[in-house]
Amino acid sequence: DDDAQAELVAQLAQLAKSPAIQGLIVETLREAKPVEARLLALRAMSEAGFTVVPSNWFDELAQVLATNDPLLLSQAVSVARQLPPLKGGHPALKQSLFDVGRRGTAPLPVRLEALVVLGALPQVEPALFSMLLTRLHPDESLDVRSSAGAFQLEHTVIVDKSIRRTASASSPASIRLIRIPVALVKLA
């Protein structure tokens, strides 16, 4: 029942300041077999309203991002976007988000959102650059084009010389799209 699930999420979120509840949420993410239980735990994380998130939540979120379940993956990326960042960053979470963005089997909107959450890309391999560049095409939806164009590629290590040529040969419209501020990007 949706009402009962919403009530459970609200209660968990409200009680999340308790270390026991924080541990329960992490344990549910780690060990729960039904995906629905893990989805509820993720929702509770996003609704907890922390200004400083427990670091073990980021640890577990990084692990959840390795899933192949599209619903769980989508919710985990959404939670990563909603949680305030850990002071000093969280290398495992950043790597997991980057891995989701590069994962060809993940749904495109989830891949793009993971890369948006990541912010500046540490490096761009040919396949990732090609995916981002092709998503700038006018036939793509505005949300997809905005997400694909949200990356400041001039601050990114481009790992293939042929990509540099492609990037410099991009149309002025593509370059303008690449400079769209992340704050203006809205995903469906």
Side-chain angles (χ1 to χ4, degrees), residues 4-187:
Q5 288 180 355
E7 179 63 27
L8 176 60
V9 167
Q11 288 177 0
L12 286 171
Q14 186 176 28
L15 299 171
K17 290 190 183 358
S18 159
I21 298 299
Q22 292 171 15
L24 175 65
I25 290 171
V26 166
E27 185 178 320
T28 302
L29 284 175
R30 184 179 303 133
E31 298 178 10
K33 293 298 178 198
V35 172
E36 292 77 16
R38 297 175 84 192
L39 289 169
L40 291 174
L42 286 168
R43 285 179 46 206
M45 287 174 85
S46 70
E47 293 180 21
F50 282 117
T51 54
V52 177
V53 177
S55 64
N56 64 340
W57 282 19
F58 288 111
D59 296 337
E60 201 55 42
L61 192 54
Q63 295 299 314
V64 172
L65 289 169
T67 186
N68 289 321
D69 182 284
L71 288 174
L72 193 58
L73 183 61
S74 177
Q75 185 70 32
V77 170
S78 179
V79 169
R81 186 175 193 162
Q82 294 170 5
L83 292 178
L86 190 63
K87 188 173 184 171
H90 192 281
L93 181 60
K94 287 182 178 184
Q95 183 61 51
S96 294
L97 288 165
F98 188 56
D99 292 344
V100 169
R102 296 184 318 182
R103 191 180 313 154
T105 58
L108 178 63
V110 174
R111 292 176 69 191
L112 292 172
E113 185 176 9
L115 294 173
V116 168
V117 172
L118 185 59
L121 301 179
Q123 64 182 22
V124 179
E125 296 94 4
L128 180 58
F129 183 79
S130 178
M131 184 273 293
L132 290 171
L133 194 59
T134 59
R135 299 305 177 224
L136 295 174
H137 194 275
D139 291 342
E140 294 286 352
S141 72
L142 180 58
D143 284 344
V144 168
R145 284 184 285 145
S146 296
S147 298
F151 306 101
Q152 298 291 329
L153 294 179
E154 65 268 15
H155 300 295
T156 301
V157 175
I158 298 179
V159 296
D160 184 286
K161 290 180 183 177
S162 65
I163 292 176
R164 288 191 186 108
R165 285 192 304 273
T166 305
S168 63
S170 296
S171 71
S174 295
I175 298 302
R176 279 195 300 276
L177 283 173
I178 288 172
R179 296 181 184 274
I180 293 173
V182 173
L184 298 179
V185 175
K186 178 185 178 296
L187 293 174

